[in-house]
Amino acid sequence: MESVREVLAGNRYPGRGVLWGRGLDGGVYGVYFLTGRSAASRARGLRLGGGELVVSPTDTTAHDPLRHYAAARQEGRWLTYGNGEQVAVVAERLRGGAEPGPALQGLEYEPDPPIFTPRITVVADRESGEAWFGAARRSRGGRESTDVLTLRVGELAPGDAVLMTTYRSDGETVATAEPYHEVAVTVRGKEELLAEVWGALTPELRVAIAVFESGKLADAVLRHA
């Protein structure tokens, strides 16, 4: 199994990414990161407040739903994180009693041609240690209707992780990424995991990253370019 560093180093522009993994210390961690090529994509930051991790603008006060959103939210036993406003939608469904699988249904990919960025979301259960990945994707064949992929991840062994990104790129062309990667991590603790993922991202495209534990979102560690 490839390491998370190898997978990310081989993808020059992953866009936005989510990871759920267990470190060698036994801790289970979530990761959310942003990379960007355009000035608008790079003019963003992460901040914590009110039980949320928020992606906010650094260049304007105007709200852009494709760039500014709650990227992670803790609601009781459920930690929800991802790359858009669907995070708030899924969190509200969970609060209303929905199970993770149904809560991840009915989402749409982003209306941003020609890439049509997938909506990627993770729901982690603080009680069981399980996690559900969801991806609302446009068909590679050009069909406009949305494909929704859900993946239930059981209890992870130390060193195991699952990674999902929005894009895959060789540095010139950009396309929708593979559905997910099972990867190895060789870290102990949030700070080491942040350093491993951040260090694998293309330096000039890095924007921001957060690493957190379910139930302890307020203690997330952050880094910005």
Side-chain angles (χ1 to χ4, degrees), residues 70-210:
R73 180 182 290 185
Q74 186 78 51
E75 296 277 358
R77 66 188 282 194
W78 303 114
L79 169 67
T80 307
Y81 58 103
N83 71 327
E85 293 191 328
Q86 83 279 1
V87 169
V89 172
V90 173
E92 289 300 322
R93 291 174 179 175
L94 294 166
R95 176 192 278 183
E99 291 297 314
L104 290 165
Q105 297 299 310
L107 304 177
E108 301 290 337
Y109 54 79
E110 293 183 9
D112 59 342
I115 299 177
F116 298 103
T117 303
R119 296 285 198 184
I120 56 175
T121 316
V122 181
V123 175
D125 184 354
R126 182 175 60 182
E127 296 180 1
S128 70
E130 293 182 313
W132 289 255
F133 282 68
R137 301 161 55 98
R138 194 173 196 262
S139 164
R140 289 183 179 176
R143 172 171 39 82
E144 293 186 1
S145 59
T146 303
D147 293 334
V148 179
L149 166 73
T150 57
L151 173 70
R152 181 176 180 175
V153 179
E155 185 176 355
L156 296 169
D160 286 347
V162 177
L163 170 71
M164 185 179 284
T165 64
T166 54
Y167 309 137
R168 55 181 173 86
S169 174
D170 58 7
E172 297 182 4
T173 61
V174 179
T176 301
E178 296 83 353
Y180 64 93
H181 294 274
E182 293 183 279
V183 296
V185 294
T186 58
V187 300
R188 298 179 182 273
K190 294 181 293 187
E191 290 80 6
E192 287 189 11
L193 181 56
L194 185 151
E196 183 164 56
V197 175
W198 188 253
L201 299 173
T202 304
E204 61 268 29
L205 300 180
R206 294 186 297 213
V207 176
I209 186 174

